[in-house]
Amino acid sequence: MDGVTVITNPTVSVRVTSTANSFEALRRFNRAITIAEFKCKLELVVGIQASCMDLQLFSATDAFLQKLDDNEALMGSYPVDDNCRIHVIDKSGSGSGGFEDLSAVEKFQLPDEAYDKRSESVRSFLKKNKAGRFNEEKAAQKEELQVQRDAEEKLLAEALAPGLRCEVQLMGQPTRRGTVMYVGNTEFKPGYWVGVKYDEPLGKHDGSVNGKQYFQCQPKYGAFVKPQYVTVGDFPEEDYGLNDEM
């Protein structure tokens, strides 16, 4: 028959937007329902009363097509295709975004005094286990201890100076002799560090770390250690026998 379009799919998936909120919902509807029935179903989606709705139909590319203004007409009588957008306008004039703005929602708040008395609350658990903000005393002690360690490290570092002979004693390693080449802060780790040029190739680098040169020495002769492991004094260079002929 001329002029008649046969729609084989009885349902259609559309995008739903509204003036009541900013989100977009994807829903499937039966084409055989009337626009009045369609509005009733949209109440659950956008939260606007069906009697206060004006419906606008947009294409899949969001181009305006027409209004859906005949409540008795079937939804299938309009050119509603998959991925079209139905925009719902609230004619009542009530504030838009009501579903998103929670500032106007009356909230129940338990007084702190009453909440403190509850034994099953999160606050009670944290108190019992001295966790979170209830472990402030331990955190303060830890911070104070770190400040004390930093101060002691600074005093040890101030007693050192480039050019002094030294011995380095690291835990589990033999004593090594060398010359202090650098004392101060570095970019690779916080705190005070001492750059040492060992008498023999017992180090890790040439005085540079991560591309920054802190002092000059031959490769494998340089190392950085903490001040507490360095002792300065009259330490002549020892002969390790590395150059002896075999």
Side-chain angles (χ1 to χ4, degrees):
M1 293 181 290
D2 294 338
V4 177
T5 301
V6 178
I7 301 175
T8 57
N9 194 342
T11 61
V12 61
S13 294
V14 296
R15 295 174 291 130
V16 180
T17 59
S18 74
T19 57
N21 47 62
S22 60
F23 64 81
E24 180 179 284
L26 182 64
R27 294 290 187 273
R28 179 174 290 276
F29 298 97
N30 195 314
R31 296 179 191 268
I33 62 175
T34 65
I35 296 300
E37 293 172 325
F38 181 45
K39 288 181 177 180
C40 291
K41 292 181 181 295
L42 288 176
E43 277 192 18
L44 301 176
V45 180
V46 298
I48 300 173
Q49 291 185 358
S51 59
C52 299
M53 289 183 185
D54 270 344
L55 304 184
Q56 294 180 337
L57 174 63
F58 291 80
S59 69
T61 57
D62 284 328
F64 176 74
L65 298 178
Q66 66 181 96
K67 292 183 178 181
L68 307 183
D69 50 8
D70 186 353
N71 287 332
E72 301 303 320
L74 296 178
M75 186 177 178
S77 66
Y78 288 98
V80 182
D81 293 320
D82 284 338
N83 208 36
C84 279
R85 180 166 67 91
I86 305 293
H87 186 61
V88 185
I89 299 173
D90 187 359
K91 297 187 298 182
S92 68
S94 61
S96 61
F99 277 3
E100 297 176 331
D101 183 11
L102 301 180
S103 61
V105 180
E106 185 177 354
K107 304 174 182 65
F108 172 75
Q109 185 172 357
L110 190 68
D112 276 347
E113 186 176 339
Y115 189 59
D116 280 335
K117 293 179 180 179
R118 292 196 169 189
S119 59
E120 302 283 333
S121 67
V122 174
R123 184 181 298 176
S124 175
F125 174 82
L126 294 176
K127 280 184 177 180
K128 199 175 297 182
N129 293 275
K130 293 184 178 181
R133 65 185 179 90
F134 298 102
N135 201 16
E136 294 177 357
E137 183 178 350
K138 186 175 181 180
Q141 290 175 351
K142 185 177 180 180
E143 184 177 350
E144 183 179 351
L145 181 60
Q146 185 60 48
V147 171
Q148 182 179 344
R149 287 176 177 172
D150 291 343
E152 292 174 354
E153 190 174 272
K154 183 179 179 181
L155 287 175
L156 291 172
E158 289 175 346
L160 305 173
L164 295 177
R165 291 288 298 169
C166 67
E167 280 190 344
V168 176
Q169 179 62 66
L170 297 175
M171 189 176 299
Q173 297 184 18
T175 302
R176 303 172 185 178
R177 288 188 178 182
T179 303
V180 176
M181 302 295 291
Y182 177 91
V183 181
N185 299 115
T186 65
E187 294 182 359
F188 57 83
K189 278 188 179 180
Y192 288 85
W193 291 86
V194 182
V196 178
K197 180 182 73 172
Y198 290 130
D199 295 338
E200 300 293 340
L202 305 173
K204 294 184 176 181
H205 47 69
D206 62 353
S208 65
V209 179
N210 296 335
K212 180 169 181 177
Q213 194 80 42
Y214 292 92
F215 60 91
Q216 298 285 344
C217 70
Q218 295 178 344
K220 298 296 183 180
Y221 277 75
F224 277 98
V225 293
K226 281 295 186 177
Q228 56 266 36
Y229 300 118
V230 180
T231 303
V232 296
D234 183 16
F235 300 114
E237 186 173 344
E238 292 185 338
D239 183 6
Y240 290 89
L242 298 181
N243 298 321
D244 291 348
E245 293 183 355
M246 298 296 292

